[in-house]
Amino acid sequence: MKLSSPQSKPSVHFGLVSGLVVAFGFMAGPALAAGTASEQANVDVMIRQLNAVEAVARRSAELPSDGSSRYHLDYNRLAADIARIRQGLQDYLAPSRAQPRDAAELSGQYQREGAQP
């Protein structure tokens, strides 16, 4: 399966994104419990994987749409949420000082109806 295929169904993309989110969740559990150098290594791996997923999402956003689908994956919103998660992990690894947390939530809604812009 190629992510870059404009003929791919949105449900396939949604399944891929859901699988990645679940995989990151399983990886985060042991990392947060470790509290050691291995935790930092695990978080570094997550950041690299998020970078790769974000790059695919940004490239996919630039693909031409066939216009025949009613629903489309909102790659730009997905990439923005991935960037936000990555920034949170980086802030965890290198906190600047005690500050109130940013209360903005992730979108979580990546399906759009209608033609892709």
Side-chain angles (χ1 to χ4, degrees), residues 90-99:
Q90 290 169 336
D91 290 347
Y92 173 75
L93 289 177
S96 58
R97 62 184 176 136
Q99 295 180 3

Side-chain angles (χ1 to χ4, degrees), residues 48-100:
R48 283 194 305 274
Q49 291 174 338
L50 286 169
N51 289 340
V53 173
E54 182 184 12
V56 171
R58 293 209 185 274
R59 281 192 309 270
S60 297
E62 296 172 2
L63 291 175
S65 174
D66 64 358
S68 65
S69 301
R70 180 176 173 186
Y71 297 102
H72 302 279
L73 185 65
D74 191 344
Y75 292 107
N76 292 321
R77 186 178 290 178
L78 173 63
D81 282 353
I82 291 170
R84 181 162 172 73
I85 293 168
R86 184 185 54 244
Q87 185 61 51
L89 290 171
Q90 290 169 336
D91 290 347
Y92 173 75
L93 289 177
S96 58
R97 62 184 176 136
Q99 295 180 3

